[in-house]
Amino acid sequence: MKKTILSTFLLVLCTHALVFSQSDYKPAPENIEARQWFQDAKFGLFIHWGVYSVLGDGEWILNQRKIPLKSYEKLPEAFNPTQFDAAEWVSLAKATGMKYITITSKHHDGFAMWDSKVSDWDIVDRTPYKKDVLKMLSAECKKQGIKLFFYHSHLDWHQPDYYPFGATGKEIAGRKTGGNFNKYLDYMDAQLTELLTNYGDIGGIWFDGWWDQKSKGTATNIDWRLSKTYSLIHKLQPGCMIGNNHHVEPFPGEDFQMFEKDLPGGNSAGFNADSKIGALPLETCETMNNSWGFNITDNKYKSTKDLIHYMVKAAGYNANFLLNVGPMSNGKIQPEFQQTLREMGEWTKVNGETIYGTRGVPGAAREWGVMTTKGDKVYLHILKGEDATFIIPNYGKKLKSAVLFKDKSKVKIVTEDKEMAVIQLSNYNKEEIDTIVELQF
Ligand code: FHN
C-alpha cells in the first residue's frame, strides 16, 4: 500500500488506541463506515430547542431560577412553534456547508420533542402545537441528504424515578424523591428505542448529563448501565454512532468523542480536566453567542471569521465542528445566527475542498494556523501573523509542488531535507480569513 502522509500519521494513532478501554466493543462494519463518513463530513448544526425557549433565558432555566416543577409544567402550553419549517432549517444547514444536524430530543428538563408513548411529558400531548417536530425534521433531512443525530440527556430533572438526585437540580421544588433509578433507566431505554425505531436511520446519539452523578474521575454515585444502553442502540441501529459528553476518556461502546467549547485536548472552558483524547473520531461543539438554548439578552455573537477559524482549527486537530443555534419558541432561527451561517456558507462553498474529507495533523498546529491532509495533499491554513516563510514537516516525502489554493499561483519551495520543507510566500494578497497553501507530495 502506497504510504501517504495520512497512513504514517494513522499508524502513530493506532498504536496509541490500545491504551484506552474499548477492548471488548467491536463496532459493526456499518459503524466503521459511519465513522469514516463522520470524519469526512467535518461540519454539523447543533440545535438546542425545547419548551425552555419560551422564556428566552437558556436551557437551564428550570434549575437556574429554581422554578417549582408544577410551575414549569405550565410552560408547554405556551410553546406553539407555528412558524417552524423543517425545510428552512435543513436548507440553512446545507447552505452553511453542514452535513449533519444534532438536535435535542430531550434536554435536562426531560421534555420529549417527539410523540413519546412512554410519557405524556412531550410536544404532542402537552403543547397546543401537537406535532412531532422530530418526525418533520427527520423526513426533511432524508429528503435533503442531511444526516440526523439526536442529543439525549441522561440527566432528567422531571422524571420521578431519577432518584437519588445528582449534583444539579436539588432546589427544584416538587421533584419526587424515593424513585427507583433502574426504572428511570428502563424509561430512558424505552424512549431511546422509540427514537431509533420511528425516525429512520439515525446518525448518532449525543448523550449529555452523565456528569450529574459523577463522584470522582470516571466513578459515579449510581450505575448508568451504559453498556446495556449502548448495546441496545447498536442492536437497533448498528451504524448509529454513540458519543457521551461525560468529559472523561471514552468508555467501551462509544463511537465518537466530543469536546465542549474546546479543541481536543484543550480545557479553556474547564470541562475537560479529566478528559483525554481517545482514538475515536472527534468533535468540538460550540455556541454562536454564549448560550445553547434561546436567550433574548445574549448578544455576544462570535464573528463569522472567528467561527470559520474555529472550524478550520478543529479540522486541523482532526475534529468535526458542531456549531449551535437555539431557535426561538415560534420555530424561527434568529436572524443574527442565520446571517453568520450564510456567510460561513460562502466560505465553505469556495474552500470546502480543503476541509471536507481531510484529516488533521494534530502535532502540526502552529502559531500561524493548522494543516489538513487528504491523500498526498496537505493544506496549510494560515489564519494569522505576517510570516511569509513556513517550515513544514514532510514526513520523509518529497514536496512536488506548492501553490496558493485560491488561484493555483506558485509558492516558492526554498529548501527541503528528510524531515522539513521550507516554503516562501512572496507579494501575495493575504486572505482576510484563511490563506490556504496547497502542498502536493
Ligand atoms: O448542560 C449541558 C448544556 O445545557 C448544553 O447541552 C451543553 C452542550 O454541550 N452540555 C451541557 C453542559 O456541559
Side-chain angles (χ1 to χ4, degrees), residues 286-301:
E286 187 54 88
T287 54
M288 296 185 74
N289 52 9
N290 280 344
S291 307
W292 298 102
F294 175 56
N295 186 326
I296 48 179
T297 56
D298 181 351
N299 55 14
K300 294 205 181 42
Y301 303 112

Side-chain angles (χ1 to χ4, degrees), residues 46 48 52 58-60 104 107-108 151 153 155 157 168 206-209 211 245 247 258-261 271 285-287 291-293 322 324:
F46 208 177
H48 276 71
Y52 43 78
E59 75 288 356
W60 269 65
T104 50
H107 203 266
H108 308 334
Y151 168 109
S153 178
L155 162 59
W157 292 317
T168 68
W206 208 101
F207 282 113
D208 201 3
W211 31 263
N245 190 36
H247 307 310
M258 62 284 272
F259 286 81
E260 179 171 337
K261 297 181 94 47
F271 289 109
C285 63
E286 187 54 88
T287 54
S291 307
W292 298 102
L322 186 67
N324 183 77

Side-chain angles (χ1 to χ4, degrees), residues 224-237:
W224 276 114
R225 293 190 341 200
L226 292 182
S227 54
K228 184 164 183 234
T229 298
Y230 291 173
S231 322
L232 166 72
I233 293 169
H234 286 137
K235 186 162 68 47
L236 293 168
Q237 297 201 20

